[in-house]
Amino acid sequence: MAAGNHSNVTEFVLLGFTDLQELLFVMFLLTYIIVLVGNLGMIVLIRTNSQFHMPMYFFLSHLSFLDVCCSSSIVPKLLSGLLAERNVISFNGCITQFFFFAVLGTTEAILLAVMAYDRYVAICKPLHYLVAMSHEVCVQLVVGSYAAGSLNALVHTCSLLQLSFCGPNLVNHFYCEMPPLLLLSCSDTRLSKMVMAVCVGFIITTCVLAIVVSYACILLSIWSIPSTEGRHKAFSTCTSHLVAVALFYGSAAFLYFHPFPANAEDQGKTASIFYSLVTPMLNPFIYSLRNKEVRRTLRRAMDKFLSCLYSHRSCSDQTKAGATWSQQN
């Protein structure tokens, strides 16, 4: 615990969801499995196929990685809490969970803006695309996203550690997030709230502005394409990213800019579920269903898997038949 913090609270109780816990456990478990399978599958698909060794897919693989880590920082504790009478988390564990979730969430917000810039260069400056978005530049953009996310999380974490928590220790949420934690502090939280509003507001405003400017330039460039088919083909490469941006930033904006009064806890929890679980589940489907290359590769991989499975079963049946014939003779 940081110096200057005089908290009496050594643990928090995450109230989470009090109704339909068994049903919610099954639903969240299935959703989490889909998150893992979908996003890890996208990572393997992109990394093992040379045709996907392009900037767009490089960023997409990191987006899938962030989705897996973001959900994994919350959902296991959520699932265990649904089966336990009291979902208890230590003070240090709560701060650690908040830190990693803040790192991952902020990094994903910045990465989505980077992906919008990638689409801008690909459509508006196609002749300079391979130079402007070289592998070194892509790596620098991704590393910068992680660095900015870590810095933002560190600022918020230090802000939390300067507060005192004297009780009660009941967090009306299913994971450790800053707005509900601020409600439990017995210190003056005005500075922490101001820091949160400034940092989150700056990041969201900057990223949204970058996305809006990028797509404004993209639309102007697409509008200049003479053929309708050409315009449709150019814009179709952006629709998946636009849907992902709308899902992520919509739920994030509601979560951070919507207050947590006594009558709005359920709304905050719903937004958090959408932000931390539903969006990571949908992203692989959004990008795979809208991308012909991904669909084609997935189909080939599935056909190859089924063919191998069928061949293995045929060999197994032949072996069993041979063993039965030998016994009979």
Side-chain angles (χ1 to χ4, degrees):
M1 196 175 300
N5 185 286
H6 306 289
S7 299
N8 296 325
V9 172
T10 59
E11 63 182 23
F12 291 105
V13 178
L14 302 174
L15 298 181
F17 301 93
T18 57
D19 299 324
L20 304 174
Q21 292 179 305
E22 292 81 6
L23 177 61
L24 290 175
F25 176 85
V26 174
M27 291 175 56
F28 292 154
L29 178 61
L30 291 176
T31 305
Y32 183 54
I33 292 173
I34 295 174
V35 169
L36 295 179
V37 173
N39 286 285
L40 292 177
M42 286 293 291
I43 294 173
V44 172
L45 188 71
I46 292 170
R47 297 292 182 176
T48 57
N49 287 271
S50 58
Q51 68 189 68
F52 294 133
H53 292 174
M54 299 167 57
M56 179 179 69
Y57 298 107
F58 176 74
F59 295 133
L60 181 56
S61 66
H62 281 277
L63 181 67
S64 294
F65 172 75
L66 289 170
D67 282 338
V68 169
C69 294
C70 188
S71 295
S72 298
S73 67
I74 291 176
V75 178
K77 185 63 178 175
L78 168 61
L79 294 175
S80 64
L82 290 172
L83 299 179
E85 293 184 4
R86 295 175 76 248
N87 189 12
V88 178
I89 185 171
S90 67
F91 182 91
N92 292 332
C94 185
I95 297 299
T96 301
Q97 184 188 56
F98 166 76
F99 173 78
F100 282 105
F101 185 74
V103 170
L104 298 166
T106 307
T107 303
E108 184 163 345
I110 299 172
L111 185 63
L112 286 171
V114 169
M115 294 173 71
Y117 173 73
D118 170 72
R119 293 296 83 207
Y120 156 74
V121 177
I123 294 175
C124 299
K125 300 181 178 181
L127 298 179
H128 301 88
Y129 181 66
L130 293 179
V131 176
M133 300 302 295
S134 64
H135 181 70
E136 291 76 13
V137 173
C138 293
V139 170
Q140 292 172 3
L141 290 171
V142 170
V143 171
S145 300
Y146 280 98
S150 300
L151 179 61
N152 176 67
L154 186 62
V155 170
H156 291 306
T157 303
C158 292
S159 177
L160 274 178
L161 288 173
Q162 295 304 313
L163 301 177
S164 296
F165 295 88
C166 310
N169 65 340
L170 303 178
V171 181
N172 197 359
H173 211 36
F174 58 88
Y175 69 99
C176 292
E177 182 58 292
M178 195 160 189
L181 286 176
L182 291 178
L183 295 177
L184 300 180
S185 176
C186 51
S187 303
D188 186 352
T189 60
R190 286 178 295 180
L191 179 60
S192 297
K193 290 179 179 177
M194 184 180 69
V195 170
M196 181 183 71
V198 170
C199 292
V200 175
F202 175 77
I203 291 170
I204 291 184
T205 301
T206 304
C207 292
V208 169
L209 183 62
I211 293 171
V212 170
V213 171
S214 296
Y215 276 102
C217 295
I218 289 172
L219 288 175
L220 290 175
S221 179
I222 290 176
W223 189 258
S224 64
I225 298 176
S227 66
T228 303
E229 182 180 355
R231 288 197 297 268
H232 176 74
K233 183 178 180 180
F235 190 74
S236 64
T237 63
C238 305
T239 51
S240 299
H241 180 256
L242 283 173
V243 174
V245 166
L247 289 173
F248 181 87
Y249 279 100
S251 55
F254 182 88
L255 178 63
Y256 282 99
F257 293 111
H258 191 278
F260 273 75
N263 60 351
E265 295 93 348
D266 291 339
Q267 296 177 11
K269 293 175 187 177
T270 302
S272 297
I273 283 292
F274 204 86
Y275 173 76
S276 61
L277 197 55
V278 177
T279 299
M281 177 190 70
L282 294 177
N283 277 342
F285 296 100
I286 292 171
Y287 281 98
S288 62
L289 293 177
R290 293 290 305 176
N291 191 298
K292 292 182 179 179
E293 288 79 9
V294 174
R295 291 202 307 269
R296 192 180 300 116
T297 304
L298 283 173
R299 192 179 300 112
R300 287 199 300 265
M302 184 60 66
D303 291 342
K304 184 177 181 181
F305 172 77
L306 292 176
S307 177
C308 292
L309 185 65
Y310 177 77
S311 299
H312 176 75
R313 183 178 298 177
S314 298
C315 292
S316 177
D317 291 341
Q318 292 176 4
T319 301
K320 291 181 180 178
T324 302
W325 183 85
S326 298
Q327 291 176 358
Q328 292 176 350
N329 293 273

